[in-house]
Amino acid sequence: MTKAEIYKETAQQIAAVIDGEPSRTARYATASCLLSESFDAFFWTGFYVVDTNKPQELVVGPYQGSLGCLRIPFSRGVCGAAARTGETQLVEDVHKFPGHIACDSRTNSEIVVPVYDESGALAAVLDVDSEAFSAFDETDKTALEAICKTLLIGADA
């Protein structure tokens, strides 16, 4: 199967499992699990959630992989850049990214996608890391952005 076909199948699986599920945590956990299981190159797959008590900070949420950073300020790292700009960050070599945070030194490339709530406010970011350099491309960006849109509670998948 091509990468696009795997994403299509995985998106369908995520949509089927989260259909009718009101818990944002359960929706994020399902997505991180199924994405992680679908792609061997995904070394760390999960969510950093906007902390309601510290709205300029992300706190680790559901994920699959090695120990993640517990907190990431919007001012630092790839996740912080996605949260701060509201734009997907596709990084071929994290070691060249200004302010990169090495939660796990084995990570070499990363893609981070903003996740919005029903009101359009930033709720979280989806962070996917790989041990390979240049592991992510426009196919990943398009597919992950589409999947993140389905994670809204009550969203049509």
Side-chain angles (χ1 to χ4, degrees), residues 30-113:
T30 297
S32 59
C33 175
L34 291 174
L35 284 166
S36 178
E37 291 293 317
S38 295
F39 293 96
D40 292 336
F42 287 17
F43 170 69
W44 196 96
T45 308
F47 293 85
Y48 283 95
V49 180
V50 175
D51 187 334
T52 55
N53 296 314
K54 295 181 179 180
Q56 291 297 304
E57 209 169 89
L58 300 165
V59 61
V60 71
Y63 71 92
Q64 302 284 311
S66 62
L67 184 64
C69 293
L70 295 183
R71 294 188 169 271
I72 299 174
F74 282 23
S75 61
R76 297 208 41 229
V78 182
C79 290
R84 186 175 62 255
T85 65
E87 297 175 359
T88 298
Q89 304 292 306
L90 199 158
V91 182
E92 294 180 352
D93 181 348
V94 297
H95 309 290
K96 295 179 181 176
F97 190 89
H100 174 252
I101 301 168
C103 297
D104 189 313
S105 62
R106 294 173 286 178
T107 297
N108 287 310
S109 64
E110 185 171 3
I111 186 168
V112 182
V113 180

Side-chain angles (χ1 to χ4, degrees), residues 116-136:
Y116 297 96
D117 68 15
E118 299 76 17
S119 72
L122 182 71
V125 297
L126 168 61
D127 180 18
V128 183
D129 298 357
S130 178
E131 291 179 294
F133 289 96
S134 303
F136 307 105

Side-chain angles (χ1 to χ4, degrees), residues 10-34:
T10 303
Q12 291 170 341
Q13 291 172 348
I14 292 168
V17 174
I18 68 173
D19 183 39
E21 175 52 59
S23 166
R24 191 177 284 168
T25 301
R27 296 168 82 83
Y28 292 170
T30 297
S32 59
C33 175
L34 291 174

